[in-house]
Amino acid sequence: MFSRSESTLTERDVLEALKGVKDPDLGRDLVDLGMIKDVKIADQTVSLAVNLTTPACPLKAQIERDVRAALEARLPAGLTLQINMTADVRGKGIRESGDIPGIKNVIAVGSGKGGVGKSTMAAAVAHGLKSYGARVGLMDADVYGPSIPHLVGASGRPMAIGERIQPIEASGLKLMSMGFLLEPDKAVIMRGPMLHGIMTQFLRQVDWGDLDYLVIDLPPGTGDVPLTLAQSLPLTGAVVVCTPQEVALLDATRAITMFRQLKVPVLGMIENMAFFDMLGYLRERGGPQARKLAEGREYFDASGDERVYLFGRGGARRKAEQMGVPFLGEIPLNIVLRETGDEGKIEQAFAPGSPARPYLLGMVEQLAAQISIQNIKTPRMPKLEILS
Ligand code: ADP
């Protein structure tokens, strides 16, 4: 404990008392990371702000507890502590901004193959980050099958102001997609160079404004688009969505290998459709007989588990471990996700009481943490230069 009395206590003492308190994810002192701000000492009160690197920080409560405990242990007794938890999303590098002016982080969402829920997860990541107060854009780079406008219920034609294309805004997200530029039933037939041109336009000519996160929904597989993107700008990292089956995991492995070859950090794997919440479903949607069964749990209790692992269990987590990639979470097969997606109201999957909400928010927090870790770990990724 400090021998000083409250009247001579200084900001330095407060920072000194906080030495050793670390951000558990980043593994470094909060003080060294510049996360302790606005220290004020007045009227028996010490107030300060802990400025997190993302509003979606999964360890917010723990960090607040650690700061409080350190101050209580080391400052004179009898002081009131006022800790404000704030957040400013950081980008890469010293300038703390990304390669596109105003955009701090660019995150690509990919998958080894189609149909695993990649677009649904990309939209969920965008909405999830926004729900914590971040400024988010969602770019649909799935040019051959643009489904983002449909998922988030957005339509319209992007207007140009001068040279700048204005993104479509819907439920607090800034959006750009081939879907806004095409007639609904038109197929996209494009060669590599055209694709490159479109990606570059989407990235550079769209007036994204200031964004904490730009989420990009990639086409499935390991084609031209990820390569083009990796060549165009230093991505913060990529997320790979997969389902639990062996075949799907093989494809996911390929996607991870591709990102590594492209020198794009892999932020983690999401296991979508990980299990089916049978009881939850019956309770919500079953007929009277099924609901009774669910309430009585006559069929399900014996297993001790209400989850039905339709495609096998734990495969993606194991694969992530094997590949040395963070595992970001399991998202169940859930009727609310399917329906809200089909109805263009995917944001409602986050509504309080939605059975998908806790899983989605958990995944988004893990991803936000990995983005922060990545930014601290590798200050600036080089643009891709050599490809054999
Ligand atoms: P991809 O982008 O990989 O082709 P989509 O995101 O378009 O896949 O999803 C394919 C279909 O699966 C959509 O109808 C979507 O609503 C549904 N879907 C995706 N994830 C889930 C989930 N966790 N629970 C229920 N349905 C899902």
Side-chain angles (χ1 to χ4, degrees):
M1 187 190 287
F2 279 81
S3 53
R4 289 165 195 252
S5 71
E6 180 254 333
S7 58
T8 58
L9 198 69
T10 64
E11 176 177 346
R12 240 177 107 177
D13 298 329
V14 174
L15 294 180
E16 196 61 35
L18 286 172
K19 269 227 153 354
V21 182
K22 290 184 192 306
D23 180 313
D25 270 338
L26 305 178
R28 284 176 48 194
D29 264 37
L30 300 180
V31 176
D32 295 345
L33 287 166
M35 283 164 66
I36 305 298
K37 299 219 185 294
D38 304 332
V39 179
K40 291 197 187 80
I41 305 146
D43 305 329
Q44 296 279 75
T45 301
V46 173
S47 66
L48 56 84
V50 181
N51 189 240
L52 301 169
T53 53
T54 170
C57 176
L59 301 168
K60 186 172 164 183
Q62 185 189 333
I63 294 172
E64 184 174 355
R65 272 198 306 276
D66 292 351
V67 166
R68 184 171 292 280
L71 294 176
E72 278 172 353
R74 295 176 200 156
L75 293 184
L79 289 172
T80 305
L81 296 178
Q82 217 173 66
I83 300 168
N84 302 318
M85 300 302 287
T86 61
D88 273 317
V89 174
R90 318 287 207 274
K92 273 183 263 190
I94 306 155
R95 287 186 295 117
E96 297 211 331
S97 70
D99 194 53
I100 304 174
I103 304 185
K104 292 181 180 172
N105 291 289
V106 184
I107 300 120
V109 180
S111 66
K113 62 175 192 139
V116 298
K118 169 189 52 60
S119 300
T120 306
M121 291 301 112
V125 163
H127 274 300
L129 289 168
K130 191 206 70 185
S131 75
Y132 288 95
R135 294 161 302 177
V136 185
L138 178 55
M139 174 177 140
D140 190 354
D142 196 346
V143 277
Y144 299 107
S147 52
I148 292 294
H150 180 76
L151 275 168
V152 300
S155 57
R157 282 208 176 253
M159 308 289 283
I161 300 182
E163 294 277 281
R164 311 289 287 161
I165 305 166
Q166 302 305 303
I168 298 285
E169 294 204 36
S171 31
L173 297 177
K174 292 193 174 167
L175 306 160
M176 183 48 67
S177 168
M178 271 307 273
F180 296 133
L181 307 172
L182 289 170
E183 299 305 323
D185 297 329
K186 276 258 165 69
V188 178
I189 303 166
M190 231 184 289
R191 288 185 200 283
M194 284 165 78
L195 202 65
H196 187 94
I198 287 174
M199 287 300 104
T200 311
Q201 268 196 327
F202 277 14
L203 288 169
R204 307 274 170 193
Q205 239 166 294
V206 170
D207 204 353
W208 293 107
D210 289 328
L211 293 181
D212 295 313
Y213 304 101
L214 176 65
V215 180
I216 301 183
D217 182 24
L218 294 177
T222 52
D224 268 0
V225 173
L227 172 60
T228 292
L229 283 173
Q231 283 174 324
S232 306
L233 82 164
L235 293 162
T236 308
V239 175
V240 174
V241 181
C242 66
T243 56
Q245 297 112 303
E246 271 305 315
V247 223
L249 288 171
L250 269 179
D251 288 323
T253 309
R254 243 173 251 129
I256 291 172
T257 311
M258 169 194 70
F259 286 123
R260 287 188 167 152
Q261 272 175 295
L262 295 177
K263 298 197 170 73
V264 175
V266 179
L267 297 164
M269 261 168 102
I270 300 172
E271 186 175 48
N272 189 29
M273 310 187 188
F275 56 86
F276 180 55
D277 174 11
M278 180 74 94
L279 268 186
Y281 177 75
L282 289 180
R283 243 187 239 122
E284 218 178 281
R285 298 291 159 90
Q289 198 58 27
R291 261 197 295 275
K292 217 165 113 203
L293 273 179
E295 295 315 327
R297 299 178 173 215
E298 287 165 38
Y299 285 169
F300 306 102
D301 248 4
S303 69
D305 200 335
E306 298 166 3
R307 300 174 173 194
V308 180
Y309 290 86
L310 290 170
F311 306 123
R313 185 171 188 174
R317 194 185 287 272
R318 278 194 297 278
K319 183 60 77 185
E321 248 165 52
Q322 273 170 20
M323 306 268 312
V325 166
F327 184 69
L328 303 175
E330 296 179 329
I331 308 296
L333 250 181
N334 186 283
I335 189 136
V336 172
L337 258 176
R338 209 274 303 149
E339 282 181 352
T340 54
D342 278 357
E343 289 166 10
K345 298 172 183 159
I346 191 90
E347 192 179 14
Q348 286 181 9
F350 285 90
S354 154
R357 178 185 160 90
Y359 298 101
L360 294 175
L361 288 183
M363 173 274 285
V364 167
E365 287 187 357
Q366 290 308 316
L367 172 59
Q370 289 304 325
I371 294 168
S372 294
I373 292 169
Q374 193 57 45
N375 285 333
I376 295 277
K377 213 166 66 181
T378 49
R380 229 178 148 68
M381 286 296 297
K383 245 191 253 178
L384 182 71
E385 278 153 16
I386 320 153
L387 253 190
S388 52

